[in-house]
C-alpha cells in the first residue's frame, strides 16, 4: 500500500534545502511574518549568482581592477564591484530591509524610492579576500543582519551602528572547492553546500561545533616585527617545542578571512589579526568581518575577542571601524587573551 501521508519533518532522500530549513524554523516562531525567510532567499540568490561568476572568473572578463579605490584605500577589483552590485540588487526590492551598508560603500545604502522599507538591516562584505581573486584562492561573502532601531521609513546609520550581540543572524558564503553557505541565528551554526547542477543549497553540516582547542594557528607572520610584545610572546609559545602541552602548533594562513575562519570552525585552533605598530586597530572591519564571524564563533561554542574585550560587546562608532581579532577555539583564544592581558 502506498503511504500518501506527508513525510515527517526531517532529512529524506531530497535532503534539507536552505529554504526549507529556514521555513521550518520560521514556523516555530509564533507570528513570524516571513520577512526573515524572504531576506534569506535574496541572500542565497546573491550567493548563487556571485558563486557562478567567481567560478567562471578566468573565462569572463571579470579579473583585474576597476581602477577605483574604496573607502579603505584599497583597489576595487571587478569581482568586488560585481558582488557588491549583485547583493544590493538582490535585496533592495524585497521589502525586508530598511537600509544596507557594505564594506565597498563610503556611506549607508538607502532603499531606492518606490520600494518598501522592512524591519531588518543588512551589512556585508561582498567579496572578502579580493587580493586572492586573481590567483584562484577561496574567497567569500560575509553578511550580518540586525533588527532596525529606528521606528519606520528609511533606515539610518544608527540602525547600522549596533553592537554584535544584537545581531539576529550572521553568515558567510565561501567560494571554495565547493560553494557553501554557513549561517546562525545565535542558536546553532548550520552549513549548506550548493549543488551546482540543481542550483540549490542543501544542508551538509548540521549544528557545527568548534573544538575546545586544536593545535593550529593562523596569522600573517610577515607582520611579526610590528606586533606588540604580548602577541610575539604568544606566537613564540605556540611554536615552542612542548609535546605534553600539544606544541608546536601547526600554521595555516590563506589571507581570506572567510577561508581561514571556515577551517577554524571545522577543525579548531585560532585565527588572529592583531593590531600592530602601523595599524593599532588591525585590518579587519568590525561590522562586516569581526562581528558576524564572532556571532558565528560563539554560536558554535568558540569565542572572539580583541585580545582584551569580547567582540560582540563593542559599541560601533563608525561604519568602517577596524578592530583587532582573535577568534576560534575557546581555550586557544583564552590563551591569546592571557598574553595580551600580561602586557597591560
Ligand atoms: P583583501 O580583501 O584586501 O584581500 O583583504 C582580506 C582581508 O580583509 C581578510 O579577508 C584577511 O583575513 C586579511 O585581509 C588578510 O590580510 P593580510 O593580507 O594583511 O594578511
Amino acid at each position: 500500500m502506498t503511504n500518501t501521508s506527508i513525510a515527517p519533518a526531517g532529512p529524506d532522500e531530497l535532503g534539507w534545502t536552505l529554504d526549507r530549513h529556514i521555513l521550518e524554523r520560521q514556523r516555530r516562531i509564533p507570528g513570524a511574518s516571513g520577512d526573515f525567510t524572504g531576506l534569506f532567499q535574496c541572500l542565497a540568490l546573491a550567493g548563487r549568482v556571485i558563486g557562478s561568476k567567481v567560478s567562471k572568473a578566468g573565462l569572463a572578463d571579470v579579473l583585474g581592477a576597476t581602477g577605483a579605490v574604496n573607502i579603505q584605500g584599497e583597489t576595487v577589483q571587478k569581482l568586488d564591484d560585481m558582488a557588491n552590485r549583485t547583493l544590493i540588487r538582490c535585496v533592495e526590492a524585497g521589502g525586508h530591509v530598511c537600509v544596507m551598508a557594505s564594506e565597498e560603500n563610503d556611506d549607508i545604502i538607502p532603499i531606492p524610492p518606490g520600494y518598501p522599507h522592512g524591519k531588518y538591516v543588512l551589512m556585508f562584505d561582498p567579496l572578502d579576500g579580493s587580493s586572492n581573486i586573481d590567483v584562484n584562492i577561496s574567497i567569500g561573502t560575509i553578511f550580518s543582519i540586525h533588527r532596525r532601531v529606528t521606528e519606520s521609513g528609511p533606515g539610518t546609520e544608527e540602525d547600522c551602528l549596533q553592537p554584535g550581540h544584537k545581531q539576529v543572524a550572521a553568515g558567510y558564503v565561501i567560494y571554495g572547492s565547493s560553494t557553501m553557505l554557513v549561517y546562525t541565528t545565535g542558536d546553532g551554526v548550520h552549513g549548506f553546500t550548493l549543488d551546482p547542477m540543481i542550483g540549490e543549497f542543501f544542508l551538509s553540516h548540521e549544528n557545527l561545533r568548534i573544538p575546545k582547542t586544536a593545535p593550529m594557528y593562523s596569522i600573517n607572520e610577515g607582520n611579526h616585527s610590528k606586533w606588540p610584545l604580548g602577541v610575539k610572546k604568544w606566537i613564540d609559545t605556540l611554536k615552542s617545542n612542548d609535546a605534553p602541552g600539544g606544541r608546536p602548533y601547526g600554521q595555516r594562513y590563506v589571507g581570506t578571512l572567510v577561508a581561514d575562519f571556515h577551517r577554524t570552525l571545522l577543525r579548531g585552533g585560532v585565527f588572529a589579526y592583531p593590531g600592530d605598530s602601523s595599524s593599532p586597530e588591525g585590518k579587519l572591519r568590525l561590522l562586516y568581518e569581526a562581528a558576524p564571524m564572532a556571532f558565528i564563533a560563539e554560536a558554535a561554542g568558540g569565542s572572539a575577542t580583541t585580545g582584551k574585550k569580547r567582540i560582540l560587546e563593542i559599541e560601533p562608532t563608525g561604519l568602517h571601524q577596524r578592530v583587532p581579532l582573535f577568534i576560534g577555539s575557546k581555550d586557544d583564544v583564552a590563551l591569546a587573551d592571557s598574553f595580551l592581558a600580561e602586557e597591560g
Side-chain angles (χ1 to χ4, degrees), residues 70 74-75 77 80 103-104 125 127-133 139 142 219-223 253-261 271-273 283-285 289 322 325:
N70 70 12
E74 299 157 348
T75 308
Q77 302 290 323
D80 266 333
E103 195 216 280
E104 293 299 330
D125 180 351
L127 213 54
D128 172 60
S130 315
S131 52
N132 278 330
I133 293 173
I139 48 185
I142 309 173
I219 195 167
N220 183 344
E221 296 232 31
N223 293 328
Y253 191 72
V254 177
T256 298
L257 175 65
V258 170
D260 283 313
F261 178 76
F271 169 89
Y273 208 111
K283 178 180 182 191
L284 304 179
R285 298 75 171 171
E289 294 176 308
R322 296 173 194 256
L325 178 66

Side-chain angles (χ1 to χ4, degrees), residues 33 77 95 156 175 197 206 226 247 255 260 264 266 268 279 288 307 309 328 337 339:
S33 63
Q77 302 290 323
T156 67
Y175 312 107
M197 300 299 285
E206 194 172 15
K226 299 188 281 176
R247 296 192 290 269
D260 283 313
T264 306
L266 266 56
S279 318
Y288 318 109
K309 185 173 181 169
D337 289 351
F339 277 88

